[in-house]
Amino acid sequence: MSHSSTGGPAEGDTFDAGAGSILRQPKAVWATAGASVVAFMGIGLVDPILPSIAKGLEATPSQVSLLFTSYFLITAVAMLVTGFVSSRIGGKKTLLAGLALVVVFAALAGTSGSVSELVGFRAGWGLGNALFVSTALAVIVGAAAGGSAAAILLYESALGLGMACGPLVGALLGNASWRYPFFGTAALMAVGFICITAFLKEQPRPAKKTSILDPIKALGHGGLASAAISAFFYNYTFFTVLAFTPFVLNMTPYKSGAAFFAWGVLLALFSVIVAPRMQARFGSLKVLGGSLVLLAVDVLVLGYGNHTAAIVCTILSGAFIGVNNTVYTELALGVSDAPRPVASAGYNFVRWFAAAAAPFFAPKIEEWSNIHIPFVVAAVTAVLGAVVVWVRRSALNHEAEELETRHATEDSVSVYAA
């Protein structure tokens, strides 16, 4: 990016300049980034307490896994709405609306008396998170000092910190009661709401309002559709690991939280630091295809290995997931001529449906067969993602070449659209 969202030139767009200025940011940027950390924490927060929730509400694993399904199903559909809303009421109001919904529904989730109530409240939480996360990157880029690279690095850091700390916070609070992580999230997001209200000025609205159908129309582009379909298969694998593995590991909240904290640390490091360097050396499509195949092998070992192997492979999967997230998102944002927010919404609309499907089908498949088969299915979907990349490489290759040139000359960081 050569210009900020406010229209002025973005100084220091190289990685080094961005890294040097990342700590010198306005209060508005820190308020948004801090709230982003908590928002991303919400994705993995329930991981270490899934068995505790199942026990506390006398629910089966397949019922409890619906916490992810309802969350991401609403998130997927909401992707068609977020641009429509933010282009009409502005970035700040969209952020505050999302935060308010998360505060309300996270608090209500902690009061749930049945698993059906909890699933319903997680759906409302997903709507709030979609409104917030889809708008946060644009707001940070618009308000940050030091150019777009510094803003993107800060956003990436918030993502990695949130994904890593979510399971850890869930374990620490959930060891006393499975309800406490939900109340804790509501409290932290309320603080974020107050900070954004106080420090963030209203962002300029885009000149052109976004239609609800614009993201669907953007998927008419072959390259964007290819990236989205491949990411759909990959996300099924990703969320089989995230939502189903805690039942397989069957550890205490502390131990499960520690394992997924290590998983999140690898995800963050490989997304922000390792992936761009691998792309510059080997090429984006080769990196993506190879990482998907290695992820398939990893989940097979996770499913068929002993308990120690399952823990190691769960943690190791974070490295492959971090690489995949970065490459997929860069391809999705650059492969078509659609505006980035529109392309991102269309891409996320497709891939989040897999995030909703995997938590539902994985425990069902176990009930129909055995505990190993869900991981076989997850391995197959990872390979299918690689096959789509290979078959559609001509549609994706132009953008991949541009990415490699940029990484080689600027050593830039990636943009992750959650």
Side-chain angles (χ1 to χ4, degrees):
M1 296 180 206
S2 59
H3 293 77
S4 72
S5 65
T6 56
E11 299 296 333
D13 265 0
T14 63
F15 179 86
D16 291 337
S21 62
I22 188 173
L23 297 179
R24 298 191 297 273
Q25 299 295 341
K27 292 179 181 179
V29 172
W30 287 117
T32 307
S36 297
V37 171
V38 183
F40 289 123
M41 279 171 50
I43 295 177
L45 183 82
V46 300
D47 252 34
I49 58 172
L50 286 175
S52 300
I53 294 173
K55 183 179 179 181
L57 295 178
E58 298 180 349
T60 64
S62 61
Q63 289 175 317
V64 174
S65 293
L66 290 175
L67 293 176
F68 286 98
T69 298
S70 64
Y71 182 89
F72 286 113
L73 185 62
I74 295 300
T75 297
V77 176
M79 285 298 161
L80 302 179
V81 180
T82 53
F84 177 88
V85 173
S86 63
S87 66
R88 284 163 174 78
I89 68 172
K92 180 177 180 178
K93 291 179 181 177
T94 304
L95 288 178
L96 293 176
L99 286 169
L101 286 171
V102 173
V103 170
V104 171
F105 284 104
L108 288 173
T111 67
S112 300
S114 67
V115 69
S116 59
E117 285 185 12
L118 186 53
V119 168
F121 293 142
R122 276 284 283 184
W125 185 343
L127 174 60
N129 220 47
L131 288 170
F132 176 84
V133 171
S134 64
T135 311
L137 176 59
V139 170
I140 289 175
V141 170
S148 60
I152 291 166
L153 183 58
L154 187 62
Y155 183 81
E156 288 271 16
S157 301
L159 164 70
L161 185 61
M163 292 293 283
C165 291
L168 195 62
V169 171
L172 293 174
L173 295 177
N175 193 59
S177 169
W178 64 264
R179 299 180 186 274
Y180 291 169
F182 297 110
F183 293 138
T185 299
L188 289 172
M189 286 304 242
V191 173
F193 184 97
I194 294 170
C195 291
I196 288 177
T197 300
F199 299 124
L200 180 65
K201 296 179 180 179
E202 183 56 75
Q203 302 294 292
R205 302 178 191 179
K208 181 181 178 182
K209 294 181 179 179
T210 301
S211 163
I212 291 178
L213 295 179
D214 282 349
I216 299 295
K217 294 176 181 177
L219 290 170
H221 185 279
L224 182 60
S226 299
I229 292 169
S230 178
F232 174 88
F233 288 122
Y234 153 65
N235 268 259
Y236 185 95
T237 309
F238 177 179
F239 285 93
T240 296
V241 173
L242 192 62
F244 184 64
T245 301
F247 294 106
V248 177
L249 298 181
N250 195 26
M251 299 190 296
T252 64
Y254 280 139
K255 290 181 179 179
S256 183
F260 276 97
F261 173 74
W263 169 86
V265 169
L266 281 185
L267 187 154
L269 290 176
F270 275 73
S271 177
V272 177
I273 298 173
V274 177
R277 287 158 174 75
M278 292 180 66
Q279 287 173 274
R281 183 170 181 179
F282 301 108
S284 294
L285 299 187
K286 289 181 180 178
V287 168
L288 182 57
S291 181
L292 286 168
V293 172
L294 290 174
L295 179 61
V297 174
D298 182 81
V299 296
L300 277 178
V301 177
L302 195 167
Y304 281 92
N306 59 26
H307 191 256
T308 300
I311 296 173
V312 171
C313 288
T314 297
I315 295 171
L316 184 60
S317 69
F320 306 125
I321 289 169
V323 170
N324 294 339
N325 286 349
T326 291
V327 182
Y328 270 122
T329 301
E330 289 194 346
L331 289 174
L333 293 181
V335 75
S336 73
D337 295 329
R340 283 190 169 187
V342 174
S344 176
Y347 162 76
N348 281 299
F349 171 71
V350 174
R351 74 178 182 118
W352 285 130
F353 276 110
F360 175 78
F361 284 112
K364 290 291 185 184
I365 292 170
E366 181 199 8
E367 292 173 7
W368 300 333
S369 53
N370 58 59
I371 200 169
H372 307 297
I373 302 303
F375 293 101
V376 174
V377 175
V380 169
T381 56
V383 172
L384 286 174
V387 169
V388 173
V389 170
W390 172 255
V391 171
R392 297 290 296 166
R393 63 190 182 280
S394 61
L396 297 168
N397 200 51
H398 175 69
E399 172 60 19
E401 289 175 353
E402 288 187 353
L403 288 174
E404 287 142 27
T405 300
R406 189 172 80 241
H407 286 310
T409 56
E410 295 183 359
D411 193 25
S412 66
V413 297
S414 66
V415 182
Y416 182 93

